[in-house]
């Protein structure tokens, strides 16, 4: 039953994402792909996954204990803090901090988490900003 609820909520969110993407106003100077493509891809993948959960739910889902649920909730708060810190810290620093914390909580050792967080942040910056020329939040150091 819980998988069907999850699938239903996911499907509603996918439809909402798709609708929000459809109302993005495009500049006449936008590239061929445009700003709508990525949200459409996310909405499509989320919609397909949600339909799968609706059609083939797990008969006996294994729910995490209270400690794990609290950790999941805290990870969600970290993502919220990431979104709020992005304009002030910039993409590279905010992403490095969030990725470091999340990889540490997923089981990496602290030093490994720092390396993974920084490498992830710089790697995404190189691909999206330097190679694709997309705009990312600039921090106090200009990147």
């Amino acid at each position: 039953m819980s998988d069907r609820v999850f699938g239903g909520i996911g499907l509603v969110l996918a439809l909402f994402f798709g609708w929000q993407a459809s109302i993005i106003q495009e500049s006449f100077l936008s590239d061929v792909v445009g700003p709508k493509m990525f949200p459409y891809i996310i909405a499509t993948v989320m919609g397909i996954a949600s339909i799968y959960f609706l059609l083939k739910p797990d008969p006996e889902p294994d729910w995490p204990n209270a400690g794990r649920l609290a950790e999941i909730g805290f990870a969600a708060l970290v993502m919220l803090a990431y979104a709020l810190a992005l304009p002030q810290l910039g993409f590279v620093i905010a992403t490095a901090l969030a990725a470091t914390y999340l990889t540490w909580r997923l089981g990496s050792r602290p030093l490994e988490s720092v390396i993974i967080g920084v490498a992830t942040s710089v790697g995404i910056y190189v691909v999206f900003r330097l190679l694709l020329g997309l705009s990312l939040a600039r921090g106090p150091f200009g990147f």
Side-chain angles (χ1 to χ4, degrees):
M1 179 66 179
S2 60
D3 280 358
R4 285 203 168 114
V5 170
F6 177 70
I9 292 170
L11 189 57
V12 168
L13 283 174
L15 292 170
F16 179 73
F17 288 168
W19 172 65
Q20 287 293 302
S22 73
I23 62 174
I24 293 174
Q25 296 202 4
E26 295 186 49
S27 168
F28 68 93
L29 296 174
S30 68
D31 58 7
V32 176
V33 176
K36 296 181 180 186
M37 185 56 65
F38 187 69
Y40 279 147
I41 292 170
I42 297 296
T44 301
V45 171
M46 188 174 186
I48 291 169
S50 297
I51 289 170
Y52 177 82
F53 279 114
L54 286 170
L55 298 177
K56 296 207 172 246
D58 188 358
E60 297 203 25
D62 185 24
W63 284 90
N65 62 27
R68 278 308 237 185
L69 281 175
E71 200 165 325
I72 292 168
F74 192 71
L77 289 175
V78 167
M79 294 306 295
L80 178 65
Y82 169 71
L84 295 174
L86 204 53
Q88 284 78 31
L89 297 179
F91 178 83
V92 174
I93 295 170
T95 302
L97 292 172
T100 296
Y101 173 78
L102 294 172
T103 55
W104 173 63
R105 293 314 308 143
L106 286 171
S108 296
R109 291 186 295 249
L111 182 59
E112 289 174 340
S113 295
V114 170
I115 293 168
I116 292 168
V118 170
T120 299
S121 177
V122 170
I124 293 171
Y125 181 82
V126 166
V127 170
F128 284 95
R129 177 72 182 133
L130 302 180
L131 296 178
L132 297 175
L134 300 176
S135 177
L136 299 173
R138 293 185 184 271
F141 304 111
F143 55 85

